[in-house]
Amino acid sequence: MSRKILVLGEARDGALRNVSFEALRAAKVAAGGGEVVGVLIGEAVQPLGSELIQYGADRVVIVEDDQLRQYTPDGFSQALLAVIDQENPNGLIFGHTAMGKDLAPRIASKLSSGLISDATAVEEIDGTLVFTRPIYSGKAFEKKIITDGLVFATVRPNNIEPLARDESRSGEVASLAVEIHTIRTIIKEVVRKASEGVDLSEAKIIVAGGRGVKSKEGFEPLQELAKVLGGAVGASRGACDADYCDYSLQIGQTGKVVTPDLYIACGISGAIQHLAGMSNSKVIVAINKDPEASIFQVADYGIVGDLFEVVPMLIEEFAAV
Ligand code: FAD
């Protein structure tokens, strides 16, 4: 069945986030040969329009306004609802990011639509669109179909392979003028945690430390390993609670959910709440002194040993590559 699907592109620091391209790929499947329309909302986002087209959008609608410089649920839903009103799509796909998680249910409720959140795959089987999503903190997966109304979903970052960029693709990038009414939330200041390098939620490689890292300084070899591998540093709540690192690095049920290609867990026991955030990583390597640690049950490769001996060896090995 052919459908028109809108994809909300997400920009940060003037660049599109990878999840935008992953959402485009999902939209291509959902569109079933129909039209994929990229949507960009913000201030000065016009230059990013052609990139959405190169990754699979057929055309792009832009809503720009000073008041949309930063994400606010009020402002972005006004802009998006105006685009939906103009386009009358059969479906919408967002990234399952902080913004997508906030905005999608709001828009779904305004449109009296259902929503499949946190999809990790979308495929067409015998003419039916089937979404896969994790349940029970990632211990099982369910398949969902939409029997009526809009095809509305958010997609988990790092799960759907984007289409290869095709710089020869072209398409219309058109602005839509939307009068943004009062925005009830005013962002006065954005305070950023000083973080180096790769964004944790989109990282392909994560080196995570737990209470076994023992101190703030204990994280230094992990940071070095992440740097050598071009990855990001994450942590268990045990490490965050012990003040070895910032809570923005916490992975798990009450932290970030990540799906990197490679997850190296150092000094992490593998509590169920931690596994909820990382067990769907493609390859898991665990380094732990305790051979009975539960993390080994989900690990593809286990190293029983002292992380302060193993991590430096890995740094030396990978730095030489
Ligand atoms: P520990 O369980 O103390 O494990 C430390 C590990 O390090 C041990 O296995 C030990 O053998 C190993 N070790 C020690 N020294 C070394 C060494 N030198 N070399 C190698 N290995 C060594 N936790 C999360 O991570 N994320 C969450 O989002 C989260 N949410 C939670 C929500 C709720 C409601 C609750 C109740 C708990 C939550 N937790 C979460 C906490 C979780 O239950 C665990 O307490 C926590 O994950 C333990 O962290 P850890 O593995 O770093 O520490």
Side-chain angles (χ1 to χ4, degrees):
M1 183 185 163
S2 158
R3 303 180 184 87
K4 184 201 265 192
I5 306 287
L6 296 195
V7 172
L8 181 63
E10 205 173 311
R12 185 189 281 172
D13 299 331
L16 283 168
R17 297 186 67 185
N18 215 33
V19 70
S20 312
F21 310 134
E22 295 163 3
L24 280 172
R25 176 68 175 266
K28 276 277 184 209
V29 177
E35 195 181 26
V36 173
V37 182
V39 180
L40 285 170
I41 298 172
E43 186 203 36
V45 284
Q46 178 90 22
L48 304 175
S50 56
E51 210 179 330
L52 281 186
I53 288 172
Q54 290 167 2
Y55 276 98
D58 297 304
R59 60 188 173 86
V60 174
V61 179
I62 306 264
V63 182
E64 288 180 317
D65 192 295
D66 287 356
Q67 297 184 81
L68 301 171
R69 189 175 337 122
Q70 269 140 3
Y71 169 72
T72 58
D74 257 6
F76 271 51
S77 38
Q78 287 180 48
L80 196 57
L81 287 167
V83 178
I84 292 167
D85 202 35
Q86 170 181 277
E87 297 292 333
N88 195 21
N90 307 107
L92 298 135
I93 305 225
F94 301 177
H96 194 70
T97 57
M99 181 178 103
K101 282 188 255 187
D102 192 43
L103 191 58
R106 180 176 286 260
I107 298 291
S109 107
K110 295 264 185 212
L111 300 175
S112 302
S113 163
L115 170 68
I116 293 180
S117 71
D118 204 13
T120 52
V122 52
E123 57 203 322
E124 197 178 308
I125 301 173
D126 297 334
T128 304
L129 210 51
V130 180
F131 289 86
T132 306
R133 63 183 298 277
I135 50 171
Y136 304 125
S137 300
K139 286 202 282 299
F141 287 86
E142 64 176 358
K143 303 263 184 200
K144 289 213 149 188
I145 60 168
I146 296 164
T147 52
D148 192 22
L150 281 177
V151 171
F152 195 173
T154 61
V155 293
R156 184 183 279 200
N158 261 348
N159 277 266
I160 296 168
E161 188 66 31
L163 293 165
R165 185 174 191 170
D166 178 356
E167 294 191 16
S168 67
R169 269 179 70 88
S170 59
E172 182 192 66
V173 179
S175 292
L176 175 67
V178 181
E179 195 183 333
I180 303 294
H181 302 290
T182 319
I183 295 181
R184 284 169 296 180
T185 322
I186 297 167
I187 296 178
K188 294 201 153 179
E189 191 187 3
V190 176
V191 182
R192 294 220 173 167
K193 296 279 175 195
S195 67
E196 277 181 33
V198 190
D199 177 354
L200 188 55
S201 54
E202 294 199 338
K204 297 278 180 206
I205 297 178
I206 293 176
V207 181
R211 218 170 346 230
V213 168
K214 294 193 176 70
S215 65
K216 273 196 174 107
E217 296 69 40
F219 261 89
E220 285 167 14
L222 276 60
Q223 277 151 359
E224 205 180 327
L225 179 58
K227 203 168 166 192
V228 166
L229 293 171
V233 173
S236 70
R237 178 155 141 190
C240 300
D241 283 346
D243 202 20
Y244 302 161
C245 60
D246 192 86
Y247 277 103
S248 60
L249 301 188
Q250 186 186 319
I251 290 166
Q253 189 181 316
T254 43
K256 293 196 167 81
V257 175
V258 295
T259 326
D261 292 342
L262 174 63
Y263 190 89
I264 306 179
C266 310
I268 294 177
S269 60
I272 189 74
Q273 296 89 353
H274 187 75
L275 302 186
M278 47 62 74
S279 61
N280 293 318
S281 304
K282 290 171 194 104
V283 175
I284 298 171
V285 176
I287 306 167
N288 199 303
K289 281 204 303 200
D290 175 7
E292 301 297 324
S294 334
I295 191 78
F296 288 126
Q297 287 172 21
V298 295
D300 299 283
Y301 300 95
I303 304 172
V304 178
D306 186 330
L307 72 94
F308 295 106
E309 289 169 17
V310 178
V311 172
M313 282 194 263
L314 294 178
I315 295 169
E316 201 182 316
E317 194 66 31
F318 288 119
V321 177

